[in-house]
Amino acid sequence: MAPRDSALRTFVWTWGAPLAVALPLLVAPLVLSDFRLNLLGKFLTYAIVALGLDLIWGYGGMLSLGQGLFFGLGGYAMAMYLKLETSGSRLPDFMSWSGLEALPLFWEPFRSPVVALCAVVLLPMAIASAVGYLVFRSRVQGVYFSLITQGLTLIASILFIGQQAVTGGTNGITNLKTIFGFARGATGTQTVLYFVTLFCLGALYLLCRKLTQSRFGRLLVAMRDDENRVRFLGYNPVTLKTLVFALSAGMAGIAGALFVCQVGLISPSSMGVIPSVEMVTWVAVGGRGTLIGAVVGAILVSLGKSALSESYPEVWQLGFGALFAASVMLLPKGVSGFLQRHAARLSRRDTGGAAGPASGDEVDSAAGPEAPATTGR
């Protein structure tokens, strides 16, 4: 009975947990107001960023504090097209205010939605590939990698703030009224945007799950636990790290573009150091190395932040910080690790302690980044 019980628990966690998250999200448009649905759609874009971060941190062992940079680049690429669409033949308003008389040359290609959509993914991936290759080739890792990505994010946000005439400066690119010819604020448009965001989240979750269960995923875990051993086995960690870093950057770019469609603006405050650190909290609270935990963590933390800021506008940041500290201390492996551990205990109790050890997937997911390299996914 033990193998059967273990297989059942693995199946429930593999497909039951994602379905338990997906079903409420699918029916949300039926019960939420337009404002709350738009807010939830914004949180789903955060979940996409968390998925990519979990891929490189939870599975690859690389803590990136620069996901906000890639999120912002994807958002700006989409916002440039939407701003030109909204402005029509006129110059964007912030350029006129800054004294420009002609559209900058690098803005011209963004009149095409195809160019904009390609830039949303390819621009963050290209920068992540270049930076990642140079960093990983020098065997920089650990806290030094985190500091480098954080520094790049800070430099980029300062640069965008300083280029008022072409980026909108501190305010960013705002007042985006249309999306591919449709009114962005219309109820029907917002509902479609919500389902598009939900579809992208589901597709990217399945892609990440496929990757983590493949040989590529096992190499990531092995590299996380003992990079030298992977190198001695004939694999090139530089290539593996650069590839997964670029993939996570592309996912953050997609999330940024969807974020712009949801809220109608993008500014340097969305791509700074603080948002990048907040993205780490989503994965930490949800649980590293589980994928679904990253999604749940992003949604729960964002909901908690929104609820506290609405109810206690003067002290919500203190309450939010205390909540995060308590969750990390009480749930060191995140919400997903807590649920897995207690589900396994209940199963052993129901079978009189005869359920046997957890399966490879459960051990790996519950253990997080410290799981042994030989554990299967």
Side-chain angles (χ1 to χ4, degrees), residues 113-173:
V114 176
V115 172
L117 292 176
C118 290
V120 161
V121 180
L122 297 181
L123 182 59
M125 291 186 71
I127 294 177
S129 297
V131 172
Y133 177 76
L134 294 175
V135 170
F136 300 138
R137 187 183 63 173
S138 303
R139 300 194 180 183
V140 175
Q141 54 187 325
V143 66
Y144 302 105
F145 172 73
S146 301
L147 290 175
I148 288 173
T149 55
Q150 185 181 54
L152 288 173
T153 303
L154 181 60
I155 291 171
S157 62
I158 294 174
L159 178 64
F160 274 66
I161 291 173
Q163 301 300 314
Q164 167 75 36
V166 294
T167 65
T170 304
N171 293 328
I173 302 177

Side-chain angles (χ1 to χ4, degrees), residues 187 299 358:
T187 300
I299 296 175

Side-chain angles (χ1 to χ4, degrees), residues 29 69 110 117 274 349:
L69 168 61
F110 287 90
L117 292 176
I274 294 177
R349 184 182 303 173

Side-chain angles (χ1 to χ4, degrees), residues 67-375:
Q67 297 306 101
L69 168 61
F70 307 126
F71 179 86
L73 289 174
Y76 268 94
M78 190 68 191
M80 289 167 72
Y81 165 74
L82 296 180
K83 189 63 176 178
L84 292 175
E85 181 186 56
T86 300
S87 302
S89 60
R90 295 175 287 106
L91 202 63
D93 48 15
F94 64 87
M95 292 185 183
S96 300
W97 301 335
S98 300
L100 291 184
E101 298 180 356
L103 190 70
L105 188 61
F106 72 91
W107 270 72
E108 288 291 348
F110 287 90
R111 292 188 183 277
S112 168
V114 176
V115 172
L117 292 176
C118 290
V120 161
V121 180
L122 297 181
L123 182 59
M125 291 186 71
I127 294 177
S129 297
V131 172
Y133 177 76
L134 294 175
V135 170
F136 300 138
R137 187 183 63 173
S138 303
R139 300 194 180 183
V140 175
Q141 54 187 325
V143 66
Y144 302 105
F145 172 73
S146 301
L147 290 175
I148 288 173
T149 55
Q150 185 181 54
L152 288 173
T153 303
L154 181 60
I155 291 171
S157 62
I158 294 174
L159 178 64
F160 274 66
I161 291 173
Q163 301 300 314
Q164 167 75 36
V166 294
T167 65
T170 304
N171 293 328
I173 302 177
T174 62
N175 200 26
L176 306 176
K177 298 179 179 179
T178 61
I179 298 178
F180 302 114
F182 297 94
R184 193 194 62 81
T187 300
T189 305
Q190 288 296 319
T191 302
V192 171
L193 282 174
Y194 173 83
F195 281 112
V196 169
T197 305
L198 183 60
F199 171 80
C200 290
L201 174 61
L204 291 172
Y205 172 82
L206 293 176
L207 172 63
C208 291
R209 185 152 195 88
K210 182 70 173 178
L211 288 175
T212 55
Q213 291 178 336
S214 66
R215 177 180 293 182
F216 178 78
R218 291 191 289 273
L219 281 173
L220 275 181
V221 177
M223 181 178 63
R224 176 194 69 192
D225 295 333
D226 195 336
E227 183 176 325
N228 288 329
R229 182 173 295 180
V230 173
R231 185 177 289 107
F232 293 151
L233 289 175
Y235 295 98
N236 187 357
V238 176
T239 302
L240 292 172
K241 286 184 172 183
T242 302
L243 182 60
V244 72
F245 188 40
L247 178 61
S248 70
M251 293 174 62
I254 293 173
L258 292 170
F259 172 86
V260 167
C261 294
Q262 295 280 352
V263 303
L265 59 88
I266 187 70
S267 69
S269 63
S270 300
M271 63 185 301
V273 173
I274 294 177
S276 297
V277 174
E278 187 175 347
M279 293 168 185
V280 174
T281 67
W282 301 337
V283 181
V285 171
R288 288 184 286 164
T290 59
L291 295 182
I292 190 63
V295 174
V296 172
I299 296 175
L300 286 181
V301 171
S302 300
L303 283 173
K305 179 180 177 181
S306 177
L308 285 174
S309 62
E310 290 178 7
S311 302
Y312 308 98
E314 296 180 354
V315 297
W316 73 269
Q317 291 178 320
L318 296 176
F320 181 73
L323 182 63
F324 172 68
S327 65
V328 170
M329 289 187 292
L330 298 176
L331 305 174
K333 298 186 185 302
V335 174
S336 59
F338 173 81
L339 294 176
Q340 282 185 315
R341 184 168 62 253
H342 282 269
R345 287 179 181 175
L346 289 175
S347 179
R348 286 195 295 270
R349 184 182 303 173
D350 293 340
T351 57
S359 68
D361 272 2
E362 287 180 287
V363 172
D364 199 348
S365 296
E370 291 75 26
T374 54
T375 302

